[in-house]
Amino acid sequence: MAKRFSTETYVKGILAGDRVMLSRAITLVESKLFSDQELAQQVINEVLPHAGKSVRIGITGVPGVGKSTFIEAFGTYLIKEQGKKLAVLAIDPTSQRSGGSILGDKTRMEALSMNPQAYIRPSPAGKSLGGVTRSTRETIILCEAAGFDTIIVETVGVGQSETAVHAMVDFFLLLMLAGAGDELQGIKRGIMEMADAIAITKADEQNVQKARAAKAEYQNALHLYPIGPSGWVPKVSTCSALQNTGLDAIWQTTADYLELTHNNGFFEKKRRDQNLQWMYEAIRQGLEDNFYSHQQVKQQLQSIAEQVKNGQKSAFAAAAELLRLV
Amino acid sequence: MAKRFSTETYVKGILAGDRVMLSRAITLVESKLFSDQELAQQVINEVLPHAGKSVRIGITGVPGVGKSTFIEAFGTYLIKEQGKKLAVLAIDPTSQRSGGSILGDKTRMEALSMNPQAYIRPSPAGKSLGGVTRSTRETIILCEAAGFDTIIVETVGVGQSETAVHAMVDFFLLLMLAGAGDELQGIKRGIMEMADAIAITKADEQNVQKARAAKAEYQNALHLYPIGPSGWVPKVSTCSALQNTGLDAIWQTTADYLELTHNNGFFEKKRRDQNLQWMYEAIRQGLEDNFYSHQQVKQQLQSIAEQVKNGQKSAFAAAAELLRLV
């Protein structure tokens, strides 16, 4: 078992930007031990006043779109050209099964992982989506307190994790491939409408024309959507991580979004709403964990659920029956 | 106080297609009295084996798109040309405030409300969205048991009620106006991606060209979306309730969808999944109702929520603190 420190030691280390202490605190956050969780909560509450001063960027896209390569190039650009301190986190519930399909292997972002201005943390393994998103959200707070001013949260655009990421970031970037056809089939419905920007990746060599055509097509499609409460019209651009092109335009789009939403108050409002949303979700999660771990409920849930599925029992009668058990 | 009957009387009446008894049973479902709720659950459980054999169609669109006029024309078409027995229900949480913006006034569907093959029930008043959706779902069961083979559930496409309707119907139809501009702004993000079909309304007189252009535009946009697990590619068509045109094509689209999804098993799977989803939602609702009505929670929720919003307390610490109170 790894060594534990006092709350004060973690807090001092994090606020001083000590990466080892930051990593150890994140390990606490990811731990399933109750004592670790208690300690983690104390640390988070202590550093909370020092957190929140970053830009949180969510990045998603199907496997094959080149997420790691893009983040490596974009992250290096942010550090070198924009003077940022960057933390890259990942939400990947599938990694429980596959053993880490995104960020599981830091060598996929070799340059970034060796950059002293970058901190890369793979997705926690062996947790449910709820557990992963909770850890990631708390990890954002720890990274911000450690002085990282830009947080990228990466996820795969095929499950439910994008909704979770969308609810914890300021700006949501969707990576897409040119040649809208089969590639698209993997993207979950609804993701396009969550995007603040779409970047067509791999816009290099013989792909340039196709990428430009895709850009026009998506831009047209996005115009059909209503403008959200941010007042922001989503932008589409092309980029190449291979040739380091288009990265500045993506950052400029992000900066434009931040300027608009800081000025019209949406940025602050969204952050506050997200905080509240997480509290209500944590309450719901706590209530459900408690209910579904109840002995009687565990015994009867499956047979009652079967009756509901088959239309032998109404959903509400079944719920009432189960609720009476606790 | 209205008269109450025995469970048997309600059940016999409903199964015999007695509209007065159907209406009274729906009133029980909508009642907030615990004794009424108990009676309603007994009635629902008794008629459940006779329910489920209908096609459930959700219809949404912003105010001004002509929903009532469309449903009046489409419903009359379904009865006259397709020999259907039609029930029209509504989910409109805003009617709590406005006193009934959709279906509140049956005279808006004058012909349909007088048709013996149609049954129209306005949205229950004075309930939360959760309460309205629950009542509507149980009302679907009662109407099906009373012999209605086609159920239309109407909602306004501006809030959260469409998601609730989407989760209780087989087929989801979005009504849109031609001239994609300001009209669109009212539609909530994500609705377009839930639609199995889009109908451009008011495609008559000087609007015909505009409607055709809009149809092409939406059809293109929908092609950019991934195909959902139903295997269905959403269709766009134009119609005019004024001139009774395009209604047959919309029904044909619905029939095509039903044929495809009956054949590939998606229809049955979706129904079973919806049943389960409603059970889990009813459990969640029950747990939350119980939690948030707890005296201590009521006393402290607001001040703790304020601290979370302002970033003075972490969302998870706050949730844990509140959960400890019960």
Side-chain angles (χ1 to χ4, degrees):
Chain A
M1 190 175 143
K3 200 182 161 190
R4 299 287 175 269
F5 303 95
S6 69
T7 307
E8 203 194 343
T9 307
Y10 286 110
V11 171
K12 270 194 174 168
I14 290 167
L15 295 183
D18 178 340
R19 280 150 186 270
V20 175
M21 217 40 99
L22 172 63
S23 293
R24 291 197 170 171
I26 295 173
T27 303
L28 281 186
V29 159
E30 293 172 355
S31 167
K32 285 171 174 169
L33 289 178
F34 182 72
S35 57
D36 285 348
Q37 277 299 320
E38 275 199 317
L39 188 51
Q41 286 308 318
Q42 285 165 12
V43 173
I44 286 168
N45 261 334
E46 291 286 321
V47 304
L48 202 58
H50 305 276
K53 295 171 200 76
S54 78
V55 175
R56 303 166 183 168
I57 302 172
I59 297 183
T60 195
V62 293
V65 77
K67 272 191 304 299
S68 296
T69 319
F70 174 80
I71 293 173
E72 166 116 327
F74 188 54
T76 305
Y77 165 84
L78 290 176
I79 292 167
K80 281 201 188 154
E81 306 296 327
Q82 301 294 335
K84 302 293 183 192
K85 278 196 77 180
L86 175 71
V88 182
L89 314 175
I91 288 191
D92 180 17
T94 64
S95 67
Q96 298 165 65
R97 282 161 285 150
S98 68
S101 68
I102 56 172
L103 281 183
D105 183 3
K106 278 195 193 183
T107 57
R108 288 168 66 218
M109 296 187 192
E110 210 170 343
L112 206 55
S113 67
M114 290 182 337
N115 193 313
Q117 299 301 308
Y119 177 80
I120 300 186
R121 180 84 183 189
S123 186
K127 288 203 163 193
S128 66
L129 176 59
V132 173
T133 55
R134 179 192 170 136
S135 302
T136 307
R137 184 156 160 90
E138 297 186 329
T139 299
I140 291 175
I141 293 169
L142 296 176
C143 290
E144 289 174 343
F148 292 97
D149 55 27
T150 310
I151 316 281
I152 286 179
V153 185
E154 179 193 6
T155 189
V156 180
V158 290
Q160 298 187 290
S161 52
E162 321 74 46
T163 312
V165 171
H166 186 253
M168 66 175 77
V169 298
D170 306 312
F171 186 82
F172 198 64
L173 174 65
L174 172 62
L175 303 183
M176 295 283 251
L177 284 166
D182 295 341
E183 306 90 339
L184 270 182
Q185 305 306 326
I187 277 271
K188 211 181 121 239
R189 282 176 173 232
I191 292 191
M192 250 177 75
E193 298 202 29
M194 297 196 306
D196 296 305
I198 293 177
I200 318 282
T201 56
K202 304 184 184 178
D204 40 44
E205 296 170 359
Q206 59 275 68
N207 270 323
V208 173
Q209 285 305 323
K210 250 190 351 187
R212 273 191 207 144
K215 176 185 165 177
E217 210 170 353
Y218 284 117
Q219 193 80 64
N220 277 337
L222 288 177
H223 275 302
L224 289 174
Y225 293 140
I227 293 175
S230 63
W232 172 253
V233 181
K235 297 269 185 309
V236 187
S237 56
T238 62
C239 66
S240 162
L242 195 70
Q243 302 181 340
N244 263 311
T245 50
L247 303 172
D248 46 351
I250 294 170
W251 171 248
Q252 189 55 53
T253 296
T254 314
D256 288 347
Y257 175 87
L258 294 171
E259 193 190 345
L260 175 80
T261 56
H262 274 303
N263 286 342
N264 68 15
F266 181 78
F267 183 92
E268 180 61 21
K269 185 183 176 305
K270 185 174 175 186
R271 280 267 177 110
R272 291 163 62 101
D273 289 349
Q274 285 177 338
N275 284 343
L276 261 195
Q277 184 184 345
W278 284 97
M279 183 189 81
Y280 287 116
E281 284 191 17
I283 288 172
R284 182 183 54 69
Q285 192 70 52
L287 292 171
E288 291 190 342
D289 286 351
N290 187 42
F291 177 77
Y292 290 107
S293 64
H294 193 277
Q295 199 54 35
Q296 294 263 52
V297 173
K298 273 158 88 173
Q299 274 167 17
Q300 301 195 33
L301 180 64
Q302 206 176 352
S303 73
I304 291 178
E306 206 54 43
Q307 291 173 288
V308 170
K309 267 169 91 170
N310 297 330
Q312 294 162 317
K313 186 168 280 195
S314 95
F316 297 102
E321 193 176 330
L322 286 164
L323 286 167
R324 274 194 298 270
L325 294 175
V326 299
Chain B
M1 193 173 142
K3 202 183 159 189
R4 299 288 174 269
F5 303 95
S6 70
T7 306
E8 203 194 344
T9 308
Y10 286 110
V11 171
K12 272 194 174 167
I14 290 168
L15 294 182
D18 178 339
R19 280 149 186 271
V20 175
M21 218 39 100
L22 173 62
S23 293
R24 290 199 172 170
I26 296 174
T27 303
L28 281 187
V29 159
E30 294 172 354
S31 167
K32 284 172 174 167
L33 288 178
F34 182 72
S35 57
D36 286 348
Q37 276 300 320
E38 273 198 316
L39 188 50
Q41 285 309 317
Q42 286 165 11
V43 173
I44 286 169
N45 261 335
E46 293 285 321
V47 302
L48 202 58
H50 306 275
K53 295 170 201 76
S54 79
V55 174
R56 304 167 183 167
I57 302 172
I59 296 184
T60 193
V62 293
V65 77
K67 272 191 304 301
S68 296
T69 318
F70 174 81
I71 292 172
E72 167 115 327
F74 189 55
T76 305
Y77 165 85
L78 290 177
I79 291 167
K80 283 202 187 154
E81 307 295 329
Q82 300 295 333
K84 303 293 183 191
K85 279 196 75 180
L86 176 72
V88 182
L89 315 175
I91 289 191
D92 180 16
T94 63
S95 67
Q96 298 165 67
R97 281 163 284 148
S98 67
S101 67
I102 57 174
L103 282 182
D105 183 2
K106 279 194 195 185
T107 57
R108 289 169 64 217
M109 297 188 191
E110 210 169 344
L112 206 56
S113 66
M114 289 179 342
N115 193 313
Q117 299 302 308
Y119 177 79
I120 299 185
R121 180 84 183 188
S123 186
K127 287 201 163 193
S128 66
L129 175 59
V132 173
T133 56
R134 179 190 171 136
S135 303
T136 306
R137 183 156 162 90
E138 297 186 329
T139 299
I140 291 175
I141 293 169
L142 297 174
C143 290
E144 288 174 343
F148 292 97
D149 55 27
T150 310
I151 316 281
I152 285 179
V153 186
E154 179 193 7
T155 188
V156 180
V158 290
Q160 297 187 289
S161 52
E162 320 76 44
T163 312
V165 171
H166 185 254
M168 65 175 76
V169 298
D170 306 312
F171 186 82
F172 198 66
L173 175 64
L174 172 62
L175 303 183
M176 295 283 251
L177 284 167
D182 295 341
E183 306 90 340
L184 271 183
Q185 306 307 329
I187 279 270
K188 210 180 120 237
R189 283 178 171 230
I191 292 191
M192 251 177 76
E193 300 204 28
M194 297 197 306
D196 296 305
I198 293 177
I200 317 282
T201 57
K202 303 185 183 177
D204 42 41
E205 296 170 359
Q206 60 275 67
N207 271 323
V208 174
Q209 285 306 324
K210 244 184 4 181
R212 274 191 206 144
K215 177 186 164 177
E217 208 169 356
Y218 284 117
Q219 193 79 63
N220 276 338
L222 287 178
H223 276 301
L224 289 175
Y225 294 140
I227 292 174
S230 63
W232 172 254
V233 181
K235 297 269 186 308
V236 187
S237 56
T238 61
C239 67
S240 163
L242 196 69
Q243 302 181 341
N244 263 311
T245 52
L247 303 173
D248 47 352
I250 293 170
W251 172 249
Q252 191 53 53
T253 296
T254 313
D256 289 346
Y257 175 88
L258 293 172
E259 194 190 344
L260 174 81
T261 56
H262 275 301
N263 286 341
N264 67 15
F266 181 78
F267 183 92
E268 181 60 22
K269 187 186 174 301
K270 184 174 174 183
R271 280 267 177 113
R272 291 163 61 100
D273 289 349
Q274 285 177 338
N275 284 342
L276 262 195
Q277 185 185 343
W278 283 98
M279 182 189 81
Y280 287 116
E281 282 190 19
I283 289 172
R284 181 183 54 69
Q285 192 71 52
L287 293 172
E288 290 189 345
D289 285 352
N290 187 41
F291 177 77
Y292 289 107
S293 64
H294 192 279
Q295 200 52 38
Q296 293 263 52
V297 173
K298 274 158 85 173
Q299 274 167 17
Q300 300 195 32
L301 180 63
Q302 206 177 353
S303 74
I304 290 178
E306 205 54 43
Q307 291 173 288
V308 170
K309 268 168 90 171
N310 297 330
Q312 294 161 317
K313 186 168 282 198
S314 96
F316 297 101
E321 192 177 331
L322 287 163
L323 286 167
R324 274 195 297 271
L325 294 176
V326 299

